[in-house]
Amino acid sequence: KWGSVVEVDSVNMSGNTFDICLVESFNSRWNGNCLICYDNGTNGVSKIAAVRYNMTITLSGSYGTSDTFKSNAVGHIGVIWSKAHNVAVVSYSNGSDSDKLTVTVGAPDDVNSPQISWGSSTRVDPSGGAGLSPNGVFPTPSCYCDATNRFILAFPDSTGSTGKCIVGKTSGINSTGAPTFGAFTDINGGSDTPYLNMVYDHGNDKVVFLYEDEGNSDKGTASVGTVNASNLTIAFGSETVFNNENTEQIAGAYDTVNKSIAVAYRENGD
């Protein structure tokens, strides 16, 4: 059963990316809220939406106030909630920095709730060099690892659509300071992965990466990653093919009842 459609913003969202996550705050007043992040045509902004028991969404009054996380155009938006530190991490390509992968951390504003106070932006560039830019038009895949209290970002690199990922750590409880990152890691041994997503396996405390493997006839493929919390690295096991045909626009979700991963995708040519 679905509730009624609610307009988030009057701006034309054509070509703009957005993402949504559940707010899992220490403060009970935030329970039942979702955080929506998107580009409004000028800036990267967020809104808090209250999800009600009768399947309605409130985006009016104090809800629905726009909070700016980046004062310029952004793309490839992904957002997760860090439960251990009670903050949101929004990732995006920064339009004012050659579309380099960038993050901003936000904390609940318990005085002016329901709002998010955002910190300064941080380029995801552990080497201190030129940085990397996401490729394509999709949100930056991101997830939070409960077992390690770390978050993971993944993206096809604009230099050739090579699948990359990186592990990050937020700076502290309710802190909007810059996260700490490990090193970029190839997801698929250097092969191109133009369609890429990931999902956290809560039952096994693993991160499952789902992608189109151009090095293997564009088959839908999965790799399981194990996060090391201390050195912010991720180690991969063997690849598994889940679809033998050309696989695009991949999404995944964890089934808490059956403790398994459900995958949806577009099979090109069928």
Side-chain angles (χ1 to χ4, degrees):
K1 181 180 178 180
W2 295 95
S4 301
V5 175
V6 175
E7 185 179 84
V8 175
D9 199 308
S10 59
V11 65
N12 186 346
M13 295 294 293
S14 177
N16 293 344
T17 58
F18 56 91
D19 202 11
I20 185 171
C21 74
L22 179 67
V23 176
E24 299 179 89
S25 174
F26 299 161
N27 192 327
S28 61
R29 77 169 70 177
W30 289 83
N31 290 346
N33 291 330
C34 289
L35 175 63
I36 305 169
C37 294
Y38 63 98
D39 184 305
N40 67 2
T42 304
N43 301 314
V45 300
S46 67
K47 287 186 178 182
I48 294 294
V51 182
R52 305 305 188 190
Y53 71 93
N54 60 351
M55 303 188 72
T56 60
I57 296 176
T58 299
L59 271 167
S60 60
S62 57
Y63 288 94
T65 300
S66 293
D67 299 308
T68 299
F69 62 81
K70 188 60 180 175
S71 297
N72 56 254
V74 298
H76 303 90
I77 298 170
V79 61
I80 58 99
W81 194 270
S82 171
K83 290 185 284 188
H85 287 160
N86 196 42
V87 292
V89 181
V90 58
S91 54
Y92 50 91
S93 58
N94 185 358
S96 68
D97 186 23
S98 302
D99 291 329
K100 301 303 182 186
L101 183 63
T102 304
V103 298
T104 303
V105 179
D109 185 340
D110 289 332
V111 176
N112 299 305
S113 65
Q115 291 180 241
I116 298 290
S117 296
W118 293 101
S120 301
S121 60
T122 301
R123 181 196 279 185
V124 183
D125 185 13
S127 68
L132 295 172
S133 302
N135 192 22
V137 295
F138 303 104
T140 302
S142 56
C143 74
Y144 177 76
C145 179
D146 288 339
T148 62
N149 297 324
R150 303 294 184 259
F151 65 91
I152 303 93
L153 307 178
F155 60 99
D157 176 18
S158 64
T159 60
S161 294
T162 303
K164 302 281 187 181
C165 68
I166 195 166
V167 180
K169 174 187 176 182
T170 46
S171 60
I173 294 175
N174 293 325
S175 172
T176 61
T180 303
F181 290 99
F184 288 116
T185 302
D186 287 338
I187 296 170
N188 186 27
S191 295
D192 286 354
T193 56
Y195 291 94
L196 170 65
N197 216 324
M198 63 177 166
V199 60
Y200 182 61
D201 181 346
H202 294 266
N204 296 299
D205 291 322
K206 306 289 185 182
V207 182
V208 181
F209 293 79
L210 309 165
Y211 50 89
E212 175 194 13
D213 187 356
E214 285 197 346
N216 188 25
S217 303
D218 299 326
K219 294 179 180 180
T221 305
S223 289
V224 178
T226 302
V227 175
N228 185 312
S230 59
N231 59 14
L232 301 180
T233 60
I234 189 164
F236 290 98
S238 301
E239 294 181 327
T240 301
V241 174
F242 62 82
N243 182 42
N244 285 312
E245 304 301 325
N246 187 315
T247 307
E248 300 179 349
Q249 298 172 352
I250 306 166
Y254 181 71
D255 181 345
T256 57
V257 176
N258 297 302
K259 298 184 181 347
S260 58
I261 301 292
V263 182
Y265 52 87
R266 175 177 179 263
E267 186 170 289
N268 195 0
D270 187 3

